Amino acid sequence: DRGHYRHFMLKEIHEQPRAVSETLEGRLSQSRVLEEAFGSEVGAILDRVERVQIVACGTSYHAGLVARYWCESHAGVPCDVEVASEFRYRSHVLAPATLLVTISQSGETADTLAALRDARERGYLATLAICNVPQSSLVRESDLILMTRAGPEIGVASTKAFTTQLTALLLLIIALGRRHKLSADCEAAFVRALHNLPRQLEAALALEPSIEALAEEFVDKRHSLFLGRGVQYPIAMEGALKLKEISYIHAEAYPAGELKHGPLALVDAEMPVVTVAPNDELIEKLKSNLQEVRARGGRLYVFADAATAIATEDGYVVQTVPQSDEITAPIVYTIPLQLLAYHVAVFKGTDVDQPRNLAKSVTVE
Ligand code: M6R
């Protein structure tokens, strides 16, 4: 039931603060992640993990890419991520004590399932599924399960599944990290950030009217670029996927530092460039990337923290995103990009919940 919302997608976007709270429920104390809540056997397995291999498709793959940044920089554990359709057909070298993590909303994606089945024969330490559907094949066939509790997702474009996957991944990485590089103080700070997250998501949702106004400028565009750096690069990829999937505007994501290596040639007044710019350690580098776009007459749409002091001026449209904690910023910055894609699609009159050529769950190769 869509309730008073015009589309399931919009309803699901607005459900995110609650879906994230549910995913955290019973899994956090004031300052610690309660890993016992993931299952009694999890601790003994995490004790032995030395490396992580993540496998997923589409939006779930983007969640995996964010997790890689978190895992390597905060847990200090090596982490690889690959799309399932590539992973399953590539012979690869398996390092000892590797945990295979699959991520899937449906738990029925053919390539992800096949990768899991394959891995069981290859000698991974264990398999862990991050999944939203309790009765799914992926959940039945994995050793360990960390459920997202987003509730049913009907819109083909994945929204609340993604933000709850990121939430679950952060819990996992904290639990793993405390056995490696993550200090108790750092864990406590991340847990505080997780407690703040539902409120910050609410604040990001309040941007909807101004994002809707921005969206109108995209209606007659055929192409767009999305830029991010570091952990926000996969968020740019996810924003681009949302836009292309439901509005049929070609959208391509680049790490901002790659601009000069090719895509800058595409930039002109007809090319909107969407940028995710929280105030992190890469902000000064990002600002100089934006100058490069501006110098070529490109129109920039920047989602930024007030502290970045990027102001609306010629060629820049800045949408200030409410203050968030650095660790959870990728989750918060997802919201404005979802809203942008949604409103562009509504202006264009496409079938938002059932985009052409796509199925909610890809159960064939
Ligand atoms: O159910 P899954 O998470 O395994 O699905 C993976 C992809 O098919 C899915 O995320 C797809 O990319 C979405 N339509 C993206 O919005």
Side-chain angles (χ1 to χ4, degrees), residues 57-60 103-107 109 112 156-158 165 241-242 245 362:
C57 302
T59 288
S60 300
I103 310 171
S104 174
Q105 187 286 128
S106 62
T109 299
T112 308
V156 164
S158 187
Q165 285 165 350
L241 176 62
K242 286 295 85 99
E245 195 173 23
V362 184

Side-chain angles (χ1 to χ4, degrees), residues 43-228:
I45 291 178
L46 291 186
D47 285 345
R48 294 165 58 204
V49 172
E50 279 167 26
R51 161 179 280 287
V52 175
Q53 171 71 60
I54 299 178
V55 177
C57 302
T59 288
S60 300
Y61 166 67
H62 295 154
L65 291 174
V66 173
R68 179 177 62 187
Y69 282 90
W70 283 340
C71 192
E72 298 215 343
S73 51
H74 303 301
V77 175
C79 178
D80 279 322
V81 192
E82 194 162 2
V83 289
S85 55
E86 286 299 314
F87 176 83
R88 63 181 286 207
Y89 290 117
R90 182 172 72 78
S91 54
H92 53 270
V93 181
L94 175 57
T98 305
L99 176 70
L100 182 90
V101 176
T102 55
I103 310 171
S104 174
Q105 187 286 128
S106 62
E108 302 296 347
T109 299
D111 283 318
T112 308
L113 260 178
L116 167 69
R117 289 176 183 153
D118 213 44
R120 300 190 66 101
E121 275 146 40
R122 293 202 206 192
Y124 280 86
L125 175 69
T127 58
L128 183 148
I130 294 189
C131 189
N132 196 42
V133 179
Q135 317 77 5
S136 62
S137 310
L138 200 73
V139 167
R140 281 199 309 273
E141 296 180 30
S142 299
D143 304 322
L144 307 173
I145 318 292
L146 189 48
M147 294 305 300
T148 49
R149 303 184 188 132
E153 192 182 63
I154 310 294
V156 164
S158 187
T159 52
K160 62 179 181 171
F162 180 65
T163 45
T164 55
Q165 285 165 350
L166 290 175
T167 304
L169 284 160
L170 189 50
L171 293 174
L172 175 67
I173 285 160
I174 294 172
L176 186 59
R178 60 159 79 118
R179 292 163 164 87
H180 296 266
K181 175 178 148 185
L182 191 73
S183 66
D185 281 354
C186 219
E187 171 165 353
F190 290 175
V191 168
R192 269 197 305 280
L194 282 166
H195 282 299
N196 293 337
L197 181 58
R199 222 174 340 131
Q200 293 171 350
L201 295 175
E202 288 289 0
L205 285 167
L207 301 175
E208 186 166 6
S210 52
I211 293 176
E212 182 175 3
L214 280 186
E216 205 167 359
E217 300 184 21
F218 283 71
V219 173
D220 57 352
K221 296 289 185 282
R222 308 228 16 226
H223 303 277
S224 59
L225 280 178
F226 282 67
L227 304 179

Side-chain angles (χ1 to χ4, degrees), residues 2 33 57 103 174-175 196 255 268 315 350 363:
R2 283 189 277 111
V33 167
C57 302
I103 310 171
I174 294 172
N196 293 337
D268 63 12
T350 60
T363 55

